[in-house]
Amino acid sequence: MVPPLVLDIDGTLTDAAGQLDPRVFDVLPSWDAPVVLATGKAFPYPVSLCHYIGLPETVVAENGGVVLVDDEVTYAGDREAAQAAADEFVARGGDLGWGGADTVNRWRETEIAVNLDADEPLLREVAAEYDLEVIDTGYAYHLKSPGVEKAVGLKHVCDFLDYEPTDFVAVGDSENDASTFRVVGESYAVANADAVAKDAAGEVLDQSYMDGTLSVLQSL
């Protein structure tokens, strides 16, 4: 028997260049327990990844803002407030940093992501004025409602799948994985993880990116 998994994507199922590691196609389709993809990316990205890997579409997207399980989608967070704060940020001279098409936010339903080159102090100042928070995932700043976390999304998944969060093994690399690490049975931060994730994880791996994730999956 193998345990159910909750896996981050960027920095965890990718390589150092940010590309999806092809070894996910070797190990995840045959995993004989639920696999939850939990990410800060907009909702369509993990759904598409499930499709191409061949996994049931069970995802926690937008840092817990959107959850899909058992063909039901639920939402948390105030997208309108996040958009208003983003507009104010831009009005004060900030730049979201994604260009005109902004495919990073085009399909985002509960939060706004801002490029790491943006004016972070200004962004945090505006967020506070709108009672929002900013988390740094290492790939973007996420402007979101307080209390929206991957761990909350995982608990919702568990209600449908008849598991407890403590049944899960989690692997991740970022601040937004810390809440998940605190509720699962086993948690691993890959070597490239940030300090918040490492502090929250049950174990910090010696290997980075998919190499670290694969070492956990092989041991299980």
Side-chain angles (χ1 to χ4, degrees), residues 171-189:
V171 187
D173 77 312
S174 182
E175 175 181 347
N176 64 347
D177 297 308
S179 68
T180 307
F181 288 170
R182 296 186 184 107
V183 301
V184 297
E186 294 182 32
S187 56
Y188 299 88

Side-chain angles (χ1 to χ4, degrees), residues 7 13 31 71 95 110 150-151 168 175 212-213:
L7 303 175
L13 299 181
W31 196 260
D71 203 32
D95 184 355
T110 64
K150 288 185 180 183
F168 279 78
E175 175 181 347
T213 302

Side-chain angles (χ1 to χ4, degrees), residues 97-111:
W98 308 118
D102 192 1
T103 57
V104 171
N105 288 308
R106 180 170 292 269
W107 305 285
R108 198 171 290 268
E109 300 187 61
T110 64
E111 60 170 31

Side-chain angles (χ1 to χ4, degrees), residues 43-69:
F43 184 40
Y45 286 88
V47 173
S48 297
L49 186 54
C50 286
H51 171 77
Y52 285 111
I53 293 176
L55 294 173
E57 294 175 355
T58 308
V59 307
V60 177
E62 300 180 24
N63 300 298
V66 187
V67 176
L68 170 60
V69 57

Side-chain angles (χ1 to χ4, degrees), residues 40-199:
K41 283 191 173 298
F43 184 40
Y45 286 88
V47 173
S48 297
L49 186 54
C50 286
H51 171 77
Y52 285 111
I53 293 176
L55 294 173
E57 294 175 355
T58 308
V59 307
V60 177
E62 300 180 24
N63 300 298
V66 187
V67 176
L68 170 60
V69 57
D70 197 24
D71 203 32
E72 178 177 305
V73 182
T74 57
Y75 301 92
D78 189 339
R79 177 61 163 77
E80 291 184 1
Q83 185 62 63
D87 292 344
E88 180 65 19
F89 172 69
V90 172
R92 296 189 195 180
D95 184 355
L96 300 185
W98 308 118
D102 192 1
T103 57
V104 171
N105 288 308
R106 180 170 292 269
W107 305 285
R108 198 171 290 268
E109 300 187 61
T110 64
E111 60 170 31
I112 295 291
V114 182
N115 193 289
L116 290 177
D117 292 333
D119 184 341
E120 182 184 1
L122 176 61
L123 180 64
R124 292 187 182 276
E125 176 184 321
V126 173
E129 294 173 6
Y130 282 78
D131 296 322
L132 300 173
E133 65 181 12
V134 176
I135 61 168
D136 177 359
T137 64
Y139 296 89
Y141 298 122
H142 295 256
L143 185 61
K144 69 179 190 67
S145 300
V148 177
E149 296 180 325
K150 288 185 180 183
V152 178
L154 176 62
K155 290 176 181 177
H156 183 71
V157 168
C158 287
D159 289 342
F160 278 81
L161 299 185
D162 198 26
Y163 282 88
E164 295 295 328
T166 51
D167 296 328
F168 279 78
V169 173
V171 187
D173 77 312
S174 182
E175 175 181 347
N176 64 347
D177 297 308
S179 68
T180 307
F181 288 170
R182 296 186 184 107
V183 301
V184 297
E186 294 182 32
S187 56
Y188 299 88
V190 288
N192 53 288
D194 63 26
V196 175
K198 287 179 177 179
D199 287 344

